[in-house]
Amino acid sequence: MEAQVKAQSANMATVPPLRMRQPLWKRIWKERWIYALFLPGFLYFIIFCYLPMWGVLMAFQNFQPYLGFWHSQWVGLQNFITFFSDPSFWQLFRNTFILAIYNIIFFFPATIIMALLLNEVRNAIFKRTVQTLVYIPHFLSWVVVVGICYMLLNPQDGLINDLLMRMGHAKIDFLESSAWFRPLIVLQMLWKETGWGTIIFLAALAGVNPELYEAATIDGAGRWRQLWHITLPSIRSVIIILLILRLGNFLNVGFEQIWLMLNPLNRDVGDVFDTYTWLVGLQQGQFSYATAVGLFKSVVGLVLVLGANWLAKRFGEEGVY
C-alpha cells in the first residue's frame, strides 16, 4: 500500500499543472486584459527605441538620403575620427560634463531631500497641497520656463533687476553672462523637476516598516537618528538603482532648455553635444556625423551604467541586473 502511494505521488509530481498543459494561445486569451495593459508600453519601446536603432548604421557611412542605408558609402570610423579631432570637441565635452556633474551633485540629492521632507509632514491636507504645487512645474514646457526666466531676469524691465536697482545695486545681465549660464540651468532644472523626481522615493518611503520607527522611539532615538539609521538605509537600494539609471543619461543634459538659453555671449559655456548634434545634423545636413556624435554619447552612458552597476555589486548592493 505504501509503495502504491509513493508511486502515485511520483506520477503526480511528473504531471505538469493544468495551466502549463494549456496551449499558448489559450493562456494569452485568458489573460488578454493583462496583455492589453502591457501592449502600449511594449509598442512604445519597439517603435521609438528599438526600430530607430537601425539608424546607428549612419555613423559608419557617408549617408545620403536618396541612396538609403544599404547603398550609401561605408566609411568605417572616419566620422568618429573627424569628431574627436575637431577643435571644438574638448570644449563641448567640458561644457557637457560640467552640466552633467552639476545635475548629479545638485538635482539628484534635491529629489531625495524633498521626498524626506514631505515624508515627515503629518498633516495629510498640507502634504497633498505641497505635493501638488511641486509637481505642477513638471508639466510646463521648457519654453514657458525659460520665458518666465526671461521675464524675471531681463536687464531692461525684469523684476530681479528692478529690485536690485531699488536697493541701490547695479543691474546684472544674467541672461547674457557666461558666469550665470550654468547656475541658471541648474536652478531651472531644480524648480521644474525636483517635485516630480520625488515620486519614486515617496513610494519607497511608504514601504518602510513603521514598527522600526516605533522600536527606535522606544529606544530613545529622535527624528534625526531615525532618519539616518532607518529611513535612509531602507531606501538605499532605490537610491542606488536610480543613480545608476541616471548615469545612463549622463551626457544628455537637455537640448530644448539649453538651446532656448543660448545666445552669442554665453555660447562658450553653453554649447553641448545636444546642441552641436542639432547644428551639424539638421542645419548642415551632416546626418552621419551627427549620428556618430549621438552614438558616442550612448556608448559613454552604457560604460557608466555598467561601471556603476559593477561598483554597486562590489559593495554588496543589488544593482540593476
Side-chain angles (χ1 to χ4, degrees):
M1 184 65 179
E2 184 178 355
Q4 291 179 351
V5 171
K6 290 183 178 180
Q8 186 176 4
S9 300
N11 291 332
M12 291 178 64
T14 58
V15 176
L18 179 61
R19 176 184 174 85
M20 299 302 296
R21 286 185 282 127
Q22 291 180 342
L24 178 62
W25 68 270
K26 283 188 176 181
R27 281 183 281 152
I28 294 176
W29 178 252
K30 184 178 180 180
E31 300 173 352
R32 58 189 180 277
W33 300 119
I34 297 178
Y35 284 104
L37 293 173
F38 163 76
L39 187 61
F42 176 75
L43 291 177
Y44 170 82
F45 282 102
I46 291 295
I47 295 173
F48 294 104
C49 296
Y50 288 97
L51 291 180
M53 289 179 67
W54 286 104
V56 172
L57 293 173
M58 287 194 297
F60 307 95
Q61 297 176 326
N62 180 17
F63 178 75
Q64 301 296 331
Y66 58 88
L67 294 176
F69 287 121
W70 307 115
H71 298 92
S72 295
Q73 179 186 3
W74 290 86
V75 296
L77 299 176
Q78 184 59 46
N79 290 316
F80 295 93
I81 296 173
T82 304
F83 175 52
F84 295 142
S85 59
D86 192 316
S88 63
F89 170 77
W90 288 110
Q91 180 183 358
L92 295 169
F93 184 83
R94 182 178 67 254
N95 294 340
T96 307
F97 183 81
I98 291 174
L99 286 175
I101 288 293
Y102 282 177
N103 284 336
I104 294 294
I105 293 176
F106 296 107
F107 173 73
F108 187 75
T111 59
I112 302 172
I113 294 171
M114 177 68 76
L116 293 174
L117 292 174
L118 289 172
N119 188 60
E120 294 297 320
V121 177
R122 293 293 174 257
N123 188 310
I125 297 177
F126 179 73
K127 181 178 180 179
R128 286 197 294 268
T129 303
V130 173
Q131 283 182 278
T132 302
L133 292 175
V134 297
Y135 291 167
I136 287 175
H138 169 77
F139 299 98
L140 300 177
S141 71
W142 279 116
V143 175
V144 175
V145 175
V146 174
I148 295 173
C149 185
Y150 268 79
M151 292 175 62
L152 293 175
L153 303 177
N154 191 294
Q156 280 74 38
D157 53 3
L159 177 62
I160 302 299
N161 276 305
D162 186 52
L163 292 175
L164 289 175
M165 290 291 291
R166 290 176 184 272
M167 291 186 293
H169 299 286
K171 290 184 177 181
I172 301 176
D173 198 352
F174 296 98
L175 300 175
E176 297 181 350
S177 170
S178 297
W180 280 99
F181 180 83
R182 289 166 182 157
L184 289 177
I185 293 294
V186 174
L187 289 173
Q188 289 173 1
M189 178 66 72
L190 288 173
W191 181 76
K192 187 176 186 295
E193 300 294 346
T194 298
W196 189 256
T198 62
I199 293 178
I200 296 179
F201 293 114
L202 286 172
L205 290 169
V208 180
N209 189 351
E211 294 180 358
L212 296 175
Y213 294 110
E214 295 174 3
T217 303
I218 294 173
D219 290 338
R223 297 304 301 174
W224 285 108
R225 287 286 185 180
Q226 294 177 30
L227 174 68
W228 187 257
H229 294 288
I230 297 176
T231 306
L232 288 177
S234 298
I235 65 172
R236 182 176 58 190
S237 60
V238 176
I239 294 174
I240 292 174
I241 289 174
L242 290 181
L243 178 60
I244 293 173
L245 294 176
R246 189 163 187 82
L247 288 175
N249 294 319
F250 182 74
L251 294 182
N252 294 329
V253 292
F255 165 76
E256 187 177 359
Q257 177 194 14
I258 295 177
W259 181 254
L260 292 170
M261 291 293 293
L262 272 180
N263 58 65
L265 297 178
N266 60 22
R267 190 171 292 275
D268 58 324
V269 298
D271 261 332
V272 294
F273 288 133
D274 293 318
T275 58
Y276 183 71
T277 302
W278 184 88
L279 176 66
V280 299
L282 295 181
Q283 284 196 338
Q284 300 178 7
Q286 301 181 49
F287 301 111
S288 296
Y289 186 71
T291 304
V293 178
L295 184 58
F296 166 74
K297 288 171 47 187
S298 300
V299 171
V300 171
L302 176 63
V303 171
L304 289 175
V305 167
L306 295 177
N309 190 78
W310 174 83
L311 195 61
K313 286 181 171 292
R314 190 71 182 268
F315 283 93
E317 300 296 334
E318 294 183 3
V320 294
Y321 64 88

